[in-house]
Amino acid sequence: MRDNFWLEQRLDHIWELLFPDLERKNKVHIYFKGRWKNKFGHIKMLRDRSSEIVINGLFANEIVPEYIIDTTIAHEVIHYMHGFQSPHEQRYKHPHAGGIVTREMKKRGFSHWLVREREFVQRHWFPIYRELVPTPFKKKKKSFFSRLLG
Ligand SMILES: [Zn+2]
């Protein structure tokens, strides 16, 4: 089951295997949250100086391939590495300056997964999103009642 404990283990594995040189300078939390259509994750530094990685809560559903979670985790870990929302020294002016995240992901062995991710976003994500977050009937109901009344 994909719960927050599973997600924590996933982060640890990715960190150990693919970012062994990256020092974890503070506590890094990770959990599923939100039901976003256009956002896969984010990283934020909290007031207690720990960092919080959030992964789109819809990805807890096993209809979403695991590599989407992996690429999202790696993306946020790279922001951490570059000193965004982390105690590391900030290396760039902007977190997505000049494709720095993509470049680092390729360096860390994610080239193949980036291709799969793009494919997933282009072909599968929006239908899955519609399935997981159905639009409420509100509008329909309203017109039904207005028809009754009118
Ligand atoms: Zn980003």
Side-chain angles (χ1 to χ4, degrees), residues 3-149:
D3 54 15
N4 288 334
F5 178 68
W6 178 89
L7 197 56
E8 255 171 55
Q9 286 184 317
R10 203 84 197 163
L11 172 69
D12 289 346
H13 289 158
I14 289 173
W15 204 307
E16 277 163 33
L17 279 169
L18 301 165
F19 297 88
D21 51 320
L22 175 61
E23 192 190 341
R24 225 190 260 213
K25 291 188 170 205
N26 62 344
K27 174 97 188 134
V28 180
H29 313 276
I30 185 165
Y31 45 82
F32 288 115
K33 197 175 123 184
R35 288 156 74 79
W36 302 308
K37 188 178 182 179
N38 295 310
K39 189 166 99 170
F40 282 9
H42 70 231
I43 183 166
K44 195 169 115 188
M45 197 175 230
L46 304 178
R47 248 187 264 168
D48 67 1
R49 309 300 291 163
S50 64
S51 296
E52 172 195 83
I53 294 175
V54 170
I55 304 295
N56 192 337
L58 295 172
F59 295 178
N61 193 302
E62 299 200 352
I63 198 174
V64 177
E66 263 181 29
Y67 63 81
I68 293 298
I69 297 174
D70 294 345
T71 51
T72 306
I73 291 174
H75 182 111
E76 303 310 332
V77 168
I78 290 166
H79 284 324
Y80 181 91
M81 174 182 171
H82 289 163
F84 294 103
Q85 309 298 323
S86 88
H88 284 278
E89 196 191 327
Q90 192 180 315
R91 288 205 225 159
Y92 303 92
K93 212 169 174 186
H94 186 272
H96 296 113
I100 49 170
V101 176
T102 307
R103 202 181 320 135
E104 192 62 40
M105 286 198 61
K106 286 180 179 167
K107 217 171 107 189
R108 303 270 165 178
F110 280 92
S111 295
H112 172 66
W113 300 113
L114 286 172
V115 174
R116 299 287 305 272
E117 184 190 50
R118 199 177 318 132
E119 224 173 68
F120 174 80
V121 172
Q122 284 172 352
R123 295 199 203 147
H124 306 296
W125 170 239
F126 296 108
I128 287 176
Y129 177 83
R130 274 194 297 275
E131 196 180 319
L132 297 179
V133 187
T135 11
F137 305 93
K138 257 189 208 154
K139 239 182 176 172
K140 245 183 186 168
K141 229 183 217 167
K142 207 175 170 188
S143 61
F144 174 66
F145 282 114
S146 56
R147 224 182 307 140
L148 271 184
L149 295 168

